[in-house]
């Protein structure tokens, strides 16, 4: 429910949204970025904000994971200029990131939150907090783009029951 405004730019768009479907990837062309092929549910506020959309208390589900987002979403290449407060939580981290590197990550319950800014040369996470299984991390993350090998960094702390738990993340299994 709400107001669209005149096409093609819908400059006065202001809607309360409730949507669901079997495949979020069908909206990749509209979003200007490749979206995952997953079932989804979404509800919240959506309004035009200059050359972007303002997300207001958006909540929903992506497969089994619960998600929420607020902030500014730009439909630019790699969503550059977007600035979002995000939270995601689910029962299986490996299944959630399955497109990244199948089999590389642990299938543990997870939760993450932080402010995500989309930059031309990467992605910045501020005030980030995450848990996967018994491991937790907090800090600032820089993920380079187009590849994570392009200037990624982490500043913060990681806690867990044993250093050996980090083996699930590709570190040597011989840790104490």
């Amino acid at each position: 429910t709400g107001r669209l405004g005149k096409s093609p730019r819908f400059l006065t768009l202001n809607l309360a949204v409730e949507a669901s479907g079997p495949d979020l990837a069908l909206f990749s062309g509209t979003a200007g970025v490749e979206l995952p092929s997953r079932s989804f549910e979404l509800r919240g506020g959506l309004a035009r904000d200059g050359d972007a959309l303002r997300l207001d208390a958006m909540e929903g589900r992506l497969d089994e994971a619960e998600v929420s987002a607020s902030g500014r979403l730009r439909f630019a290449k790699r969503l550059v200029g977007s600035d979002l407060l995000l939270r995601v939580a689910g029962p299986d981290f490996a299944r959630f990131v399955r497109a990244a590197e199948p089999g590389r990550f642990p299938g543990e319950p997870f939760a993450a939150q932080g402010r995500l800014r989309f930059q031309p040369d990467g992605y910045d996470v501020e005030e980030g907090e995450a848990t996967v299984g018994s491991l937790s991390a907090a800090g600032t993350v820089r993920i380079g783009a187009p590849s994570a090998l392009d200037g990624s960094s982490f500043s913060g702390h990681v806690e867990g029951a044993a250093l050996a738990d980090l083996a699930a993340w590709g570190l040597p299994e011989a840790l104490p």
Side-chain angles (χ1 to χ4, degrees):
T1 61
R3 180 178 64 243
L4 284 176
K6 292 184 178 183
S7 69
R9 303 215 52 221
F10 304 109
L11 296 176
T12 59
L13 177 83
N14 191 348
L15 299 172
V17 175
E18 190 164 332
S20 64
D23 190 357
L24 185 61
L26 296 174
F27 298 95
S28 294
T30 302
V33 64
E34 187 176 335
L35 297 170
S37 182
R38 312 247 178 118
S39 64
F40 71 96
E41 293 177 6
L42 184 64
R43 64 196 161 281
L46 185 65
R48 186 70 176 209
D49 182 12
D51 65 347
L53 293 176
R54 169 78 43 201
L55 306 180
D56 183 29
M58 285 292 213
E59 296 180 346
R61 180 186 57 76
L62 188 59
D63 276 345
E64 297 175 327
E66 297 293 323
V67 296
S68 64
S70 292
R72 193 166 189 269
L73 181 65
R74 284 195 67 225
F75 293 120
K77 185 176 183 181
R78 290 192 353 263
L79 302 176
V80 168
S82 296
D83 186 352
L84 301 169
L85 293 175
L86 295 173
R87 182 177 189 318
V88 60
D92 188 324
F93 186 70
R95 229 178 5 234
F96 184 74
V97 297
R98 67 178 175 232
E101 289 185 51
R104 177 169 181 210
F105 298 106
E108 300 275 348
F110 71 97
Q113 65 183 22
R115 181 177 186 178
L116 177 59
R117 293 182 180 191
F118 296 73
Q119 308 291 351
D121 60 347
Y123 309 95
D124 295 327
V125 178
E126 299 170 358
E127 300 173 20
E129 296 178 10
T131 61
V132 178
S134 65
L135 293 175
S136 65
T140 301
V141 179
R142 170 72 175 167
I143 303 169
S147 165
L149 300 176
D150 295 329
S152 295
S153 64
F154 170 73
S155 175
H157 67 273
V158 177
E159 296 178 16
L163 283 173
D165 292 344
L166 294 173
W169 297 88
L171 293 169
E173 291 190 32
L175 293 171

